[in-house]
Amino acid sequence: MKYYRSFEAGQTVIWSGDKMDFVASVVSGVATLTKTMEDGRRQMVGLLLPSDFVGRPGRAHAAYDVTALTDLVMCCFRKAPFEEMMNTTPHVSQRLLEMTLDELDAAREWMQLLGRKTAREKIASLLAIIARRDASLGLRPAKGKVAFDLALTREQMSDYLGLTLETVSRQMSALKRDGTIVLASKRRIEIPHFDALLAETGDDNDGGVLT
Amino acid sequence: MKYYRSFEAGQTVIWSGDKMDFVASVVSGVATLTKTMEDGRRQMVGLLLPSDFVGRPGRAHAAYDVTALTDLVMCCFRKAPFEEMMNTTPHVSQRLLEMTLDELDAAREWMQLLGRKTAREKIASLLAIIARRDASLGLRPAKGKVAFDLALTREQMSDYLGLTLETVSRQMSALKRDGTIVLASKRRIEIPHFDALLAETGDDNDGGVLT
DNA sequence: CGTTTTCTTGAGATGTGTCAATCCTCGTGG
DNA sequence: CCACGAGGATTGACACATCTCAAGAAAACG
């Protein structure tokens, strides 16, 4: 009923439309959900970090392409027994509901990014999101210079942001030129002043803590 | 614990950040969820038709602006007793999970629209979505010419699609010129050949039924 | 090392945004 | 009943952000 599967960076976990008789959660590594149009246009619609859930109870086929961004380990449950467990253990569906609501909130913030932000704001937002998600997984010293390795290529960033990879590259160069970010290497990002990055996201960054 | 509230078209149900001590579902009418940026840029992130759910168990403040698009009746539950009910009646959170997963799927399709579709494809997609949602509520004769009243102004359409209202207007005119849609009035839409509209959405429209 | 993938940068094209004028449509009050 | 006003919609001219196409440079890899 429960088993582990490993994937190498770049491997496809499952294609949209494929039969999917399991649900899973990410144990380690990073994976993406993407939608692809007939002519090849691609939009990433989910970024899965450890503890994130994949698959939908009550659906037999995958709705998205799932791809391993880094080496990846997933913990899979056969769907039938999992659904049985949902019926017998009410706590499970409550927990799943909470996680799904979190994802829905994230999706809506993402929609705002896609629909209304400029290319520069999109890049800044993505970097802030990744920095924060890494931090919440406890990979980050609480204080001090923020720095992290980017698991995404420029092209994958463009799929996330609804841009072309050239525009991503240009805006990364612009943020670097302005000193908002420092590129130790192409994929190693340092952020000298996190507030300065946040100021570039276009988000409301003082009303954040409602009382 | 349970009560009804009515709103007139255009009224605000609740502002983002306001205290929200209830959850609710739409009884009749149409409402929207929108996010607003400091400088006024707005993105719609939810379109609520009858039976749709608003509010998040376990959250004290509204995350989005909720606005009545048409005259609206909502059925509200005080949050505390509702959460109690979720604990005692497992079926409730299971049903809520299903609805939330549906919304998440819709949000991801919306992300693809916002990130990768052209203005023309966006308009065609929106019209197809509304036509289908109306149909699923049983407002539509199964066969015959598809026609419906648009609850959205051009500006609200632009908020949905991540466009300006001028671009929406121009693309509506273009679709009309091409005969894909017929405007009986500004808000009354007729679609002579639904397949022709679908062909403009950019979506995969034959692989839909996977075997 | 060669080879391939990824990334950067430039020049020019184009789709959508901006600003502004005008036109409908419909409700209201004279 | 008509004139008026206000909000919504359309259209034009132009600006500009982003895309496209193309050439190279820099890393990654065997």
Side-chain angles (χ1 to χ4, degrees):
Chain A
M1 154 169 195
K2 175 180 164 183
Y3 56 101
Y4 291 86
R5 292 177 68 187
S6 296
F7 300 88
E8 289 173 24
Q11 265 191 308
T12 297
V13 175
I14 196 162
W15 294 102
S16 170
D18 281 0
K19 186 146 191 283
M20 184 171 178
D21 54 2
F22 60 91
V23 297
S25 77
V26 175
V27 174
S28 65
V30 185
T32 62
L33 301 183
T34 60
K35 286 178 81 89
T36 307
M37 296 166 76
E38 289 174 321
D39 60 6
R41 284 176 280 175
R42 300 198 319 147
Q43 176 64 51
M44 198 184 296
V45 297
L47 186 60
L48 304 172
L49 301 193
S51 89
D52 285 337
F53 186 84
V54 202
R56 171 160 181 174
R59 171 182 288 159
H61 298 269
Y64 314 101
D65 301 330
V66 182
T67 310
L69 257 180
T70 62
D71 288 347
L72 180 72
V73 179
M74 308 198 71
C75 175
C76 306
F77 301 85
R78 304 212 133 270
K79 185 140 47 191
F82 183 82
E83 286 170 0
E84 179 57 26
M85 183 169 74
M86 280 185 51
N87 285 324
T88 56
T89 319
H91 205 68
V92 172
S93 64
Q94 281 181 36
R95 175 74 191 115
L96 213 47
L97 174 60
E98 254 180 71
M99 293 174 63
T100 307
L101 285 166
D102 284 342
E103 274 194 83
L104 187 56
D105 279 337
R108 285 171 167 164
E109 204 154 310
W110 202 336
M111 284 172 54
Q112 181 183 41
L113 176 150
L114 291 171
R116 292 305 188 192
K117 289 190 177 180
T118 65
R120 185 183 176 94
E121 288 170 340
K122 286 179 175 181
I123 300 278
S125 300
L126 174 57
L127 296 176
I129 287 168
I130 292 175
R132 273 200 279 248
R133 291 193 71 172
D134 279 9
S136 74
L137 289 173
L139 308 174
R140 177 72 39 67
K143 271 290 178 195
K145 188 169 293 183
V146 178
F148 56 92
D149 284 305
L150 201 55
L152 304 163
T153 65
R154 299 289 186 265
E155 184 172 26
Q156 288 158 346
M157 292 172 71
S158 77
D159 287 341
Y160 188 111
L161 299 170
L163 297 170
T164 59
L165 75 92
E166 293 94 330
T167 298
V168 170
S169 185
R170 275 187 251 272
Q171 295 297 336
M172 288 289 284
S173 298
L175 286 172
K176 177 182 164 189
R177 197 162 40 245
D178 300 345
T180 308
I181 63 175
V182 176
L183 295 181
S185 75
K186 307 270 184 207
R187 301 284 197 89
R188 178 76 189 171
I189 314 280
E190 294 175 14
I191 301 168
H193 304 288
F194 199 70
D195 287 348
L197 181 67
L198 289 181
E200 298 285 354
T201 62
D203 292 331
D204 194 350
N205 49 329
D206 44 49
V209 184
L210 295 167
T211 50
Chain B
M1 156 171 191
K2 175 179 162 183
Y3 55 100
Y4 291 86
R5 292 178 66 188
S6 297
F7 300 89
E8 288 173 25
Q11 265 192 309
T12 297
V13 175
I14 197 163
W15 294 102
S16 170
D18 281 1
K19 186 147 190 286
M20 183 171 179
D21 54 1
F22 60 91
V23 297
S25 76
V26 176
V27 174
S28 66
V30 185
T32 62
L33 302 184
T34 59
K35 287 178 78 91
T36 307
M37 295 167 77
E38 290 173 320
D39 59 7
R41 282 176 282 176
R42 301 199 316 149
Q43 177 63 52
M44 198 185 295
V45 297
L47 187 59
L48 304 172
L49 301 194
S51 88
D52 284 336
F53 187 84
V54 202
R56 171 159 182 173
R59 173 183 287 159
H61 298 270
Y64 314 100
D65 301 330
V66 182
T67 309
L69 218 63
T70 62
D71 288 347
L72 180 72
V73 179
M74 306 197 72
C75 175
C76 306
F77 300 84
R78 305 212 133 269
K79 185 140 47 190
F82 183 81
E83 285 169 0
E84 179 56 27
M85 184 171 73
M86 279 185 50
N87 285 325
T88 55
T89 318
H91 204 67
V92 171
S93 64
Q94 280 181 37
R95 175 74 191 117
L96 214 45
L97 174 60
E98 255 179 71
M99 294 174 64
T100 308
L101 285 166
D102 284 341
E103 274 195 85
L104 187 57
D105 279 337
R108 285 171 167 164
E109 203 153 312
W110 203 336
M111 285 171 54
Q112 180 184 41
L113 177 151
L114 291 170
R116 292 305 188 192
K117 289 190 177 181
T118 65
R120 185 183 177 92
E121 288 171 339
K122 286 179 176 182
I123 301 280
S125 300
L126 173 57
L127 295 176
I129 287 168
I130 292 175
R132 273 200 279 249
R133 291 193 70 171
D134 278 10
S136 74
L137 290 173
L139 306 175
R140 177 73 37 67
K143 272 290 176 194
K145 189 167 291 181
V146 178
F148 56 92
D149 284 305
L150 201 55
L152 304 163
T153 65
R154 299 290 186 266
E155 183 171 27
Q156 288 158 346
M157 292 173 71
S158 77
D159 287 341
Y160 187 111
L161 299 170
L163 297 169
T164 59
L165 76 92
E166 292 95 330
T167 297
V168 169
S169 185
R170 274 188 253 272
Q171 296 297 335
M172 289 288 286
S173 299
L175 287 172
K176 177 181 164 190
R177 197 160 43 243
D178 300 344
T180 309
I181 64 176
V182 177
L183 295 180
S185 75
K186 308 273 185 205
R187 300 286 196 88
R188 178 78 189 170
I189 314 280
E190 294 174 14
I191 302 169
H193 304 288
F194 198 70
D195 288 349
L197 180 67
L198 289 181
E200 298 285 353
T201 61
D203 291 331
D204 194 351
N205 49 327
D206 44 49
V209 183
L210 294 167
T211 50

